[in-house]
């Protein structure tokens, strides 16, 4: 257990270590979802034009 004397950078580094790849993917999920919807819209527009 830390004694409260660690620096802010040490706490940030420890926090990053605790977050695995799954946490990063979950944080990016809304952005990926938006990109997929945008791609779907573009494909629909191209399909209608052709």
């Amino acid at each position: 257990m830390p004694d409260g004397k660690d620096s802010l950078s040490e706490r940030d580094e420890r926090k990053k270590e605790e977050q695995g790849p799954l946490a990063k993917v979950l944080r990016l999920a809304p952005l990926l979802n938006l990109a997929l919807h945008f791609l779907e819209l573009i494909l629909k527009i191209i399909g209608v034009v052709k």
Side-chain angles (χ1 to χ4, degrees), residues 24-42:
K24 293 177 184 176
V25 170
L26 290 176
R27 198 168 57 236
L28 290 176
L31 180 61
L32 294 173
N33 190 17
L34 180 63
L36 287 174
H37 281 287
F38 184 69
L39 180 60
E40 182 182 6
L41 176 65
I42 296 296

Side-chain angles (χ1 to χ4, degrees), residues 3-28:
D3 59 359
K5 295 182 182 177
D6 55 345
S7 68
L8 182 59
S9 61
E10 289 173 348
R11 279 185 267 158
D12 286 342
E13 187 175 327
R14 191 177 326 111
K15 186 177 178 183
K16 287 178 185 177
E17 290 173 0
E18 292 172 358
Q19 294 177 348
L22 181 60
K24 293 177 184 176
V25 170
L26 290 176
R27 198 168 57 236
L28 290 176

